[in-house]
Amino acid sequence: MYPTSVYQGSYTSPSFNAIRCTLPNCTCECFAPGKVHIRTCDQCKHGWVAHDSLTEAQVIKVRKKGTKHGTPCQYPRCDCDDYVKPQTVFKATFSSLTCQKCRHKESEHRLKTKFDKLKKDQLEKAESFSCIGCSCQGYQRPDSSVPVEGPKARLCTDCSHHIDAHRPLTDTDQYILASLTTASQLHCHSEAKKDGHQRHSNDEEEDEDEEKEVDMTTWFEAVAMDPDEIEEQSSLKTCKCRGFAVNSDELMKACHRYHGFTIDLVSPLLPSIQCPKCQHYLKDHREPTEDEEIQRTLDRSKVLSLVKTVGLQTSKQFISHKAASLLLPNNSTVQQMVFSRIQDCSASSSKYQVVCSVLSKPLSKLLFNTINTQKDSDISQNIKTGVRKRRSYEGATSVLPTTPVKRRKSDQDVFIASDENQDVINTEVIRKKAKVPDKIISGIIDNLGNTDNQISILTSTPVTVIDWCPVMKDDNLFLAIGHTKGQVSVYSIHQNKSTALIIKGNPTTAPVTKLAWFSKKRKLYLLSAHKNGRVCLWQLVDNTSLVFIQDICNVPTKVTAVSVSADAMYLAVGHVNSTVVFYRVGSGSSTDEVKLSFINQTKIAYGAVHCLAWHPVTRMVAGGGEDDTVTIFYLRSSEIDHRNTGSITHYFSPKKYEPNLDIFSKCCLLKGHVSFVSALTFDPAGRFLLSAGWDGQILFWRVAEISDIITNNDDVTIMECTSGYVVGQRSSKVNGGINKGTLMATSLTVLDDILFVVAKVTVGHVYVTAYRIPEKYL
């Protein structure tokens, strides 16, 4: 051990052991690593090997012995028996301190130290020691054709690593490996460079040597479209490096560089190692301080920030864009998070595989336990303070907080349609919910790829679409699978075991294109849509069988989208010819029967309808497709008096606009996408609408602004998007190359302030990504 005061130059010779120089006529009492050459003492300019851990009396004895008997050269295969000073006097530099006889450095002429003996023993047994930096099990010496004095003479022919890397792990090696491995999981907190370039010039060469794994973290980072949000994102000056970049070669080089050093010598040197990825130091890769964490959370709350993304293998065919399904837990109907995807079997197998990742209840409940606790306290607080009521434009009653809230005037109109089976829903209570930490969300998403949580389901016919039932029944999860020959199969998942249900009925042989579950009167129903335009209604009976009830077809073209309203009163079906058909889900001849009855049909501008989404409270439904537009449809009831509503144009126009009643009509067009719209969703409170398209954009639409258009009873109105984000602007390494793919979102789901996106970017992979929604939308 040695005193750390040597680094400040205030070292005084101690009587206990210190790392002293053993060369004659040298007064260095403790080794200090050089600022440029760390293995050369900064005080005496002699090498590290010439220093040994000795007391003051021992080093005096060694120096006298060297002066009396000479200092033989310890360089391999050198016969020089004593150091001879050069006759010409030069300035003391590292190159001039060489023996005139053998031309080796002065520090090579010494009596053998403890490190010399240790190194000699390790070199003799190098063939039996595994390599520190790789899986090589022993040093392989080069053949006689390699020059003995050449640089390749000490390189292993098997792994090309130095012979010094084939040795047992020391305490210092373990300290270095632990420090670098820990730093690989820590974000860099250094200030980012202004030009944004944080990589070496030889990155492309390094990328070829790295493991060829799919790393899409950088690619999935969202870039704001709004100039104000772009400025907020640019203010986040922290480096984007998500971990100190280390691989087996880098670890081996670090251990070889500090070989023989004590931990006390290495500990102050390691923090100055540069990260190969961002060029910042190891000390910058650390846990954030409390102030940094608060500021980081505040900055991230202003933009759509990436929490975690994970890529999972799926079928390379990807017959349907709905070949992956995600179900999130909630506080009432589902207590587990599940994700399923179609995966290819072996080429020789005639089976088709569906892989289900089922997370445990304790792990899944971490997503909403904190939220539920806060929600209960908010509700109890509202009961104590009281609430006031107001009438909305449809005559429904909505509940508003008594305390005034600073917000946009249009945000105060929340529409709650009257429903015979639905109580009034409070959507205006502004809650300060406790957020789920990013670490918990990241851990949950990582577990989707854990093979211990996976269940495989084999089928004999190709799979076209899969969908999870959003309601658990008797602690069972239900997965519906559609096939190319029109069959529908349902599996019950319980305690990581799958059981096939009995299917009664086979109404059509056309391939299944869409599936949708819904619950009505405490019973579970399944809708299957087919390529010939038929929509079939099934009922789940006793958790053991699926019984066919009804099929209906108003448009004999391929069904491309299906969605049921939150109260299970209405059904919207989109077709490939741009038609959207609306059905009423009502009672049949008997009280327990559920039947579909046609209401009306309308169209989007052109092309296929890719997605449909219902507002959680009102009769508003959004549709997106190949017209690059989000179309809003709305049902106005004849029971409400619309004579006193409308815009100023309505009152002064000679021809009054009369809205269509009791049918769904087109009322608004949301423009902002420049390619197909592939996924839509409303947040659970109905405050905003989210849309994702093949252009990589994720756009936010305020429901209050859409509601203003509906309130005014105007004809179809075009609304331009002013806020959104673009995903895929940053390139990322995929399979050793640079990926510049396109985001093809298949589903969007909002849970509290987290947006979950299921998307396809590369062939054979599907990605589950979590984003933190900006607070201004909540």
Side-chain angles (χ1 to χ4, degrees), residues 32-87:
K35 296 179 180 179
V36 179
H37 303 280
I38 62 172
R39 299 187 69 86
T40 301
C41 181
D42 196 40
Q43 297 186 25
C44 65
K45 310 304 179 184
H46 295 149
W48 156 255
V49 184
H51 292 69
D52 207 346
S53 178
L54 302 170
T55 63
E56 187 174 5
Q58 289 173 336
V59 76
I60 293 175
K61 184 178 180 179
V62 171
R63 289 171 182 170
K64 287 183 177 180
K65 184 178 181 180
T67 304
K68 182 177 180 180
H69 299 286
T71 52
C73 184
Q74 301 296 333
Y75 195 84
R77 294 174 294 277
C78 182
D79 298 329
C80 181
D81 55 356
D82 193 13
Y83 174 72
V84 179
K85 289 185 179 181
Q87 296 180 357

Side-chain angles (χ1 to χ4, degrees), residues 404-568:
V405 181
K406 292 182 180 180
R407 56 188 302 175
R408 296 173 60 257
K409 182 177 180 182
S410 58
D411 286 347
Q412 294 181 359
D413 296 324
V414 175
F415 311 117
I416 305 177
S418 57
D419 184 66
E420 57 184 3
N421 297 325
Q422 186 178 10
D423 296 329
V424 175
I425 301 176
N426 181 3
T427 61
E428 279 295 304
V429 175
I430 308 300
R431 304 183 177 98
K432 293 294 183 181
K433 299 179 181 178
K435 295 182 178 179
V436 181
D438 289 357
K439 289 184 178 180
I440 293 180
I441 299 174
S442 299
I444 291 174
I445 293 181
D446 280 334
N447 270 275
L448 294 178
N450 190 348
T451 55
D452 296 336
N453 303 322
Q454 292 181 359
I455 302 173
S456 296
I457 299 175
L458 298 177
T459 65
S460 57
T461 55
V463 179
T464 57
V465 60
I466 52 181
D467 192 55
W468 286 99
C469 178
V471 178
M472 291 184 70
K473 200 170 183 181
D474 298 333
D475 206 28
N476 290 322
L477 291 162
F478 297 98
L479 176 65
I481 302 177
H483 302 271
T484 54
K485 296 183 179 181
Q487 309 101 311
V488 175
S489 55
V490 177
Y491 291 84
S492 172
I493 310 296
H494 180 66
Q495 295 182 352
N496 293 336
K497 294 182 180 179
S498 60
T499 305
L501 273 61
I502 301 172
I503 308 299
K504 298 180 180 180
N506 188 18
T508 179
T509 58
V512 181
T513 56
K514 292 293 172 182
L515 292 170
W517 290 89
F518 69 92
S519 176
K520 192 174 182 67
K521 298 180 179 180
R522 297 184 178 180
K523 295 182 180 180
L524 292 179
Y525 296 89
L526 175 65
L527 290 165
S528 64
H530 299 260
K531 193 173 182 180
N532 59 1
R534 288 188 174 275
V535 178
C536 302
L537 179 63
W538 308 75
Q539 181 182 348
L540 185 67
V541 180
D542 298 331
N543 296 351
T544 58
S545 62
L546 189 71
V547 180
F548 171 72
I549 298 177
Q550 176 195 6
D551 69 330
I552 190 170
C553 179
N554 288 85
V555 179
T557 59
K558 178 182 177 180
V559 178
T560 53
V562 174
S563 182
V564 183
S565 61
D567 56 4

Side-chain angles (χ1 to χ4, degrees), residues 225-414:
M225 297 170 54
D226 187 358
D228 294 336
E229 294 187 17
I230 292 177
E231 185 176 353
E232 291 175 353
Q233 279 191 326
S234 63
S235 64
L236 306 178
K237 298 180 181 180
T238 306
C239 177
K240 298 296 183 180
C241 180
R242 295 180 177 270
F244 192 86
V246 291
N247 52 32
S248 58
D249 286 341
E250 294 294 336
L251 293 174
M252 187 275 299
K253 291 177 182 177
C255 293
H256 178 61
R257 185 183 187 189
Y258 300 108
H259 180 37
F261 279 25
T262 61
I263 296 179
D264 294 326
L265 281 175
V266 173
S267 57
L269 299 176
L270 274 184
S272 60
I273 296 179
Q274 282 188 325
C275 173
K277 183 177 181 181
C278 66
Q279 296 184 352
H280 294 141
Y281 297 113
L282 179 67
K283 63 183 179 181
D284 297 323
H285 295 76
R286 53 178 172 78
E287 293 286 353
T289 62
E290 184 177 354
D291 293 339
E292 289 174 342
E293 188 66 29
I294 294 174
Q295 185 61 39
R296 180 173 175 266
T297 303
L298 181 62
D299 293 337
R300 285 167 59 88
S301 65
K302 299 177 182 178
V303 297
L304 186 69
S305 56
L306 176 66
V307 178
K308 182 66 177 179
T309 183
V310 62
L312 303 171
Q313 287 187 353
T314 186
S315 172
K316 294 183 178 180
Q317 304 296 327
F318 219 92
I319 300 173
S320 170
H321 80 283
K322 194 61 177 174
S325 179
L326 174 68
L327 179 63
L328 297 177
N330 53 54
N331 58 353
S332 57
T333 58
V334 179
Q335 287 80 40
Q336 289 181 266
M337 179 177 180
V338 289
F339 178 74
S340 59
R341 63 193 188 277
I342 301 173
Q343 193 168 351
D344 293 331
C345 290
S346 60
S348 60
S349 175
S350 60
K351 299 289 185 179
Y352 300 88
Q353 185 179 21
V354 176
V355 179
C356 306
S357 300
V358 182
L359 303 189
S360 63
K361 287 185 179 180
L363 183 62
S364 301
K365 286 182 178 180
L366 292 176
L367 281 175
F368 61 89
N369 268 351
T370 306
I371 300 170
N372 291 344
T373 304
Q374 184 67 26
K375 185 184 296 184
D376 296 339
S377 62
D378 288 337
I379 294 175
S380 61
Q381 182 66 23
N382 293 331
I383 295 176
K384 293 179 181 179
T385 58
V387 295
R388 61 185 177 88
K389 296 183 178 181
R390 60 170 291 184
R391 303 289 292 182
S392 67
Y393 81 102
E394 281 192 353
T397 303
S398 60
V399 182
L400 298 178
T402 54
T403 305
V405 181
K406 292 182 180 180
R407 56 188 302 175
R408 296 173 60 257
K409 182 177 180 182
S410 58
D411 286 347
Q412 294 181 359
D413 296 324
V414 175

Side-chain angles (χ1 to χ4, degrees), residues 677-706:
V677 180
S678 58
L680 292 167
T681 189
F682 287 91
D683 81 299
R687 294 162 295 186
F688 57 87
L689 168 67
L690 277 165
S691 62
W694 289 12
D695 52 5
Q697 294 187 112
I698 299 177
L699 304 184
F700 286 79
W701 311 87
R702 293 188 181 274
V703 173
E705 297 176 358
I706 301 173

Side-chain angles (χ1 to χ4, degrees), residues 41-274:
C41 181
D42 196 40
Q43 297 186 25
C44 65
K45 310 304 179 184
H46 295 149
W48 156 255
V49 184
H51 292 69
D52 207 346
S53 178
L54 302 170
T55 63
E56 187 174 5
Q58 289 173 336
V59 76
I60 293 175
K61 184 178 180 179
V62 171
R63 289 171 182 170
K64 287 183 177 180
K65 184 178 181 180
T67 304
K68 182 177 180 180
H69 299 286
T71 52
C73 184
Q74 301 296 333
Y75 195 84
R77 294 174 294 277
C78 182
D79 298 329
C80 181
D81 55 356
D82 193 13
Y83 174 72
V84 179
K85 289 185 179 181
Q87 296 180 357
T88 307
V89 179
F90 295 99
K91 183 179 179 181
T93 61
F94 295 113
S95 60
S96 63
L97 298 176
T98 57
C99 176
Q100 187 176 2
K101 184 177 179 181
C102 65
R103 301 300 180 184
H104 290 147
K105 293 182 180 180
E106 182 185 10
S107 58
E108 297 288 351
H109 294 73
R110 61 185 182 274
L111 298 177
K112 285 188 177 181
T113 61
K114 295 177 183 177
F115 185 68
D116 281 325
K117 299 175 183 178
L118 175 65
K119 191 173 181 181
K120 180 181 179 182
D121 183 63
Q122 291 176 354
L123 293 179
E124 292 176 352
K125 300 178 181 179
E127 289 84 354
S128 59
F129 291 140
S130 59
C131 182
I132 295 177
C134 65
S135 58
C136 178
Q137 297 302 314
Y139 177 73
Q140 301 292 331
R141 297 184 182 275
D143 54 24
S144 57
S145 61
V146 179
V148 177
E149 299 294 337
K152 295 183 179 181
R154 289 178 168 268
L155 298 182
C156 176
T157 57
D158 186 16
C159 63
S160 299
H161 290 156
H162 198 272
I163 188 174
D164 288 342
H166 296 77
R167 55 180 172 80
L169 277 175
T170 63
D171 293 339
T172 303
D173 294 332
Q174 294 177 356
Y175 173 76
I176 294 173
L177 294 176
S179 300
L180 297 183
T181 304
T182 303
S184 65
Q185 306 297 326
L186 301 176
H187 290 202
C188 180
H189 291 273
S190 178
E191 184 176 350
K193 296 182 179 180
K194 294 183 179 180
D195 57 0
H197 182 72
Q198 300 177 5
R199 293 179 64 91
H200 284 295
S201 59
N202 60 343
D203 283 340
E204 295 182 1
E205 297 178 1
E206 292 178 357
D207 287 342
E208 295 177 359
D209 298 332
E210 294 178 1
E211 295 180 0
K212 297 181 179 180
E213 296 180 355
V214 178
D215 181 12
M216 299 293 290
T217 302
T218 305
W219 193 90
F220 271 99
E221 290 182 354
V223 179
M225 297 170 54
D226 187 358
D228 294 336
E229 294 187 17
I230 292 177
E231 185 176 353
E232 291 175 353
Q233 279 191 326
S234 63
S235 64
L236 306 178
K237 298 180 181 180
T238 306
C239 177
K240 298 296 183 180
C241 180
R242 295 180 177 270
F244 192 86
V246 291
N247 52 32
S248 58
D249 286 341
E250 294 294 336
L251 293 174
M252 187 275 299
K253 291 177 182 177
C255 293
H256 178 61
R257 185 183 187 189
Y258 300 108
H259 180 37
F261 279 25
T262 61
I263 296 179
D264 294 326
L265 281 175
V266 173
S267 57
L269 299 176
L270 274 184
S272 60
I273 296 179
Q274 282 188 325

